[in-house]
Amino acid sequence: MPPDTGREIGYWLHPTATGRGVAARAARALVEQAFLLPGVDYVEVVHDPANLASGAVPARLGFTEHLRRRSERLAPADTGEDLIWRLTRPQAVALAAAAR
């Protein structure tokens, strides 16, 4: 059996665009498109745990926290850790069915 295949999505917003659901709507659209691709088993979002706004998006969309790993600190506020959220195809199907 081949290994699971995933895709990673990400988002950056101008500060004036935050707090209006823009990232969540864009991420939802990207997830829908990712699962239309053949063989995609999961979608991930990776962010620094200190970036609470970035973490709110996958939490809102039904992703679950999958993994934490060390990472390079690229900005002064970075923690040196990545938080990886994952949404599997079965989770996405269940969420879509529940939304109907």
Side-chain angles (χ1 to χ4, degrees):
M1 176 179 267
D4 288 348
T5 301
R7 297 291 182 262
E8 181 180 327
I9 62 168
Y11 36 84
W12 289 82
L13 294 178
H14 188 276
T16 60
T18 62
R20 294 189 276 162
V22 174
R25 287 192 306 274
R28 181 176 285 113
L30 288 170
V31 167
E32 289 171 2
Q33 291 302 306
F35 284 128
L36 290 176
L37 297 171
V40 174
D41 300 305
Y42 62 87
V43 177
E44 291 182 333
V45 172
V46 180
H47 70 92
D48 189 284
N51 188 336
L52 300 179
S54 283
V57 173
R60 180 181 302 157
L61 298 180
F63 284 66
T64 55
E65 187 175 320
H66 175 68
L67 177 69
R68 288 177 182 250
R69 67 180 179 211
R70 300 187 111 193
S71 68
E72 183 179 355
R73 293 185 72 193
L74 300 174
D78 284 354
T79 64
E81 186 175 55
D82 282 335
L83 174 51
I84 303 169
W85 295 81
R86 181 176 280 188
L87 182 68
T88 64
R89 183 179 292 277
Q91 287 172 313
V93 168
L95 287 168
R100 289 187 206 134

